[in-house]
Amino acid sequence: DGGITQSPKYLFRKEGQNVTLSCEQNLNHDAMYWYRQDPGQGLRLIYYSQIVNDFQKGDIAEGYSVSREKKESFPLTVTSAQKNPTAFYLCASQRRDRGTNEKLFFGSGTQLSVL
Amino acid sequence: DAKTTQPPSMDCAEGRAANLPCNHSTISGNEYVYWYRQIHSQGPQYIIHGLKNNETNEMASLIITEDRKSSTLILPHATLRDTAVYYCIVRVARGNYGGSQGNLIFGKGTKLSVKP
């Protein structure tokens, strides 16, 4: 089945540690995104990538880093510089299309907590 | 992108129609209305979108007022599995990927509770 897969489902980070969240899609989508969601809040954009080997900062990129070496993969690293990393992280992909339907496909999310 | 206003919560009886309102009084002529929903601890799911005509698909119907300042998402026969947070978003459809394509502004949405 085609889809977008995030792993792990739950992740724990120690103080000063970097952790990497995985996001893989087999939808052949060009664009991929990372969002952060805090309890009871909407989604905020961290980083996005419209094409391989290129990515842009979103609204809250500080303390995070990404790479896009392959079309299928867009891993997110939460660095030690991110002082409040506890949140639900969502990855999404989108087909590159000049049409009007720009719907996002989301993964099932990763819950990151600080020990 | 235009801002939207939604009620924080709504209840609906199982089997009845759920009508979720959204105000977007500052919407521009080239902005579409999108609806997503998020079931607890899952990623949001696309439901439907439209520009000015009413739209229907297998999940829901979207009714947009003539002045486009508001819209209503209709779930014709709500089930318990429709309990979720529903997000109304308006944005320009940027076909040339000149900007932040995915920067849909997800507000707090409406928490719909479908009750037996």
Side-chain angles (χ1 to χ4, degrees):
Chain A
D1 289 339
I4 181 165
T5 303
Q6 289 186 242
S7 62
K9 180 68 174 176
Y10 301 95
L11 186 59
F12 297 91
R13 194 192 90 166
K14 296 179 180 178
E15 289 285 340
Q17 185 181 42
N18 293 352
V19 291
T20 298
L21 285 61
S22 170
C23 179
E24 303 278 333
Q25 55 97 0
N26 60 5
L27 300 167
N28 199 33
H29 286 173
D30 285 291
M32 296 186 74
Y33 306 85
W34 274 105
Y35 290 88
R36 169 182 172 139
Q37 186 174 33
D38 292 283
Q41 304 297 313
L43 282 65
R44 292 184 290 168
L45 183 66
I46 304 173
Y47 268 99
Y48 65 99
S49 168
Q50 296 174 354
I51 198 168
V52 175
N53 292 323
D54 184 61
F55 49 83
Q56 305 295 327
K57 292 182 179 180
D59 300 320
I60 55 166
E62 186 174 352
Y64 300 97
S65 66
V66 293
S67 62
R68 188 83 188 279
E69 297 177 0
K70 299 187 300 181
K71 188 176 186 179
E72 302 80 16
S73 179
F74 191 40
L76 173 74
T77 297
V78 184
T79 75
S80 57
Q82 173 50 245
K83 298 306 180 187
N84 184 23
T86 297
F88 189 52
Y89 290 85
L90 287 158
C91 180
S93 69
Q94 184 181 45
R95 188 178 66 180
R96 185 170 181 159
D97 191 339
R98 291 182 177 271
T100 62
N101 188 353
E102 300 180 338
K103 61 183 180 182
L104 293 171
F105 291 80
F106 284 86
S108 57
T110 293
Q111 176 64 49
L112 176 63
S113 302
V114 177
L115 291 175
Chain B
D1 294 336
K3 183 178 177 180
T4 62
T5 303
Q6 299 177 253
S9 64
M10 291 182 63
D11 290 341
C12 178
E14 188 178 18
R16 296 293 190 114
N19 298 292
L20 292 90
C22 180
N23 287 322
H24 31 79
S25 58
T26 59
I27 192 170
S28 301
N30 60 349
E31 287 186 309
Y32 287 72
V33 180
Y34 284 80
W35 283 85
Y36 284 77
R37 74 179 182 183
Q38 185 177 23
I39 295 170
H40 183 64
S41 297
Q42 296 183 22
Q45 175 191 25
Y46 165 84
I47 301 173
I48 199 167
H49 78 289
L51 182 62
K52 52 185 176 182
N53 297 322
N54 297 338
E55 302 287 344
T56 295
N57 63 20
E58 65 278 4
M59 292 182 68
S61 295
L62 174 60
I63 309 298
I64 303 174
T65 58
E66 192 169 344
D67 63 7
R68 302 206 328 116
K69 294 183 183 300
S70 65
S71 61
T72 300
L73 178 75
I74 300 173
L75 307 179
H77 305 287
T79 70
L80 299 179
R81 287 179 293 181
D82 292 321
T83 293
V85 177
Y86 287 77
Y87 299 100
C88 169
I89 301 153
V90 295
R91 62 155 292 146
V92 174
R94 298 188 183 92
N96 62 0
Y97 284 71
S100 173
Q101 275 292 47
N103 199 6
L104 300 176
I105 300 174
F106 287 79
K108 295 184 179 181
T110 295
K111 184 173 183 179
L112 175 68
S113 298
V114 181
K115 300 182 183 300

